[in-house]
Amino acid sequence: MDEAFIQGTKKEKFHHQSVYTLRKMKTLNFLVIGKNEEILDTLKRIITNNEGWNAEITSDERVCEDFIRENHVDIVLLNSGLSEQFESNIKDFCRKIEKDVKVIDHYGGGNGLLKNEVYTLFPNLQP
């Protein structure tokens, strides 16, 4: 066989392994916003039970924009109890900020639904 072909094949295999490794190592940082502290605690536990997923929770709508500006946030997860006006404002803020912040409206459905919502936004992370 041609040497260039062999090198290309090795490089291609290395590339695929690297992509696989990066996919598995990607950290997702969530900001979970809602009004029910018990639900927020449950969501944090569900999120952090997934390897590479981190979560901060808040019920204080006033701190959200500053938190997103000052921290690396991949996903804002909106939960129950928030006003429509706040939800609209935070979605607009996330669209306009110079970071790639995704927003998920999550009002229940368990771990399976949450994973599906996340993998819809980040299909390359799907196992």
Side-chain angles (χ1 to χ4, degrees):
M1 284 194 172
D2 178 289
E3 178 71 16
F5 178 79
I6 294 170
Q7 288 177 344
T9 303
K10 288 179 184 175
K11 185 176 182 179
E12 185 175 297
K13 283 183 183 177
F14 176 76
H15 172 73
H16 289 299
Q17 288 171 348
S18 297
V19 169
Y20 177 79
T21 302
L22 287 174
R23 179 181 306 140
K24 294 299 179 189
M25 292 174 47
K26 169 73 172 154
T27 299
L28 288 179
N29 296 299
F30 291 73
L31 174 61
V32 184
I33 311 166
K35 291 299 182 181
N36 184 310
E37 292 293 331
E38 290 179 28
I39 293 173
L40 292 176
D41 290 338
T42 299
L43 285 169
K44 183 173 184 169
R45 188 184 76 251
I46 289 170
I47 290 167
T48 58
N49 279 338
N50 290 282
E51 186 178 343
W53 292 15
N54 302 312
E56 295 294 330
I57 59 174
T58 187
S59 59
D60 186 351
E61 299 168 1
R62 298 169 297 173
V63 302
C64 296
E65 289 184 10
D66 286 338
F67 184 88
I68 294 166
R69 263 191 219 97
E70 296 167 9
N71 296 278
H72 178 81
V73 175
D74 297 296
I75 298 173
V76 171
L77 191 72
L78 302 177
N79 196 251
S80 61
L82 303 170
S83 72
E84 287 182 31
Q85 184 63 50
F86 172 77
E87 288 187 18
S88 176
N89 289 348
I90 199 71
K91 287 175 183 179
D92 191 48
F93 174 79
C94 289
R95 272 191 300 274
K96 292 179 179 177
I97 194 168
E98 293 182 17
K99 298 180 177 184
D100 188 21
V101 179
K102 311 287 189 203
V103 179
I104 296 175
D105 295 306
H106 182 79
Y107 303 106
N111 190 29
L113 178 60
L114 178 59
K115 283 183 177 180
N116 186 49
E117 292 167 334
V118 171
Y119 293 143
T120 297
L121 295 174
F122 297 93
N124 60 322
L125 298 180
Q126 210 161 356

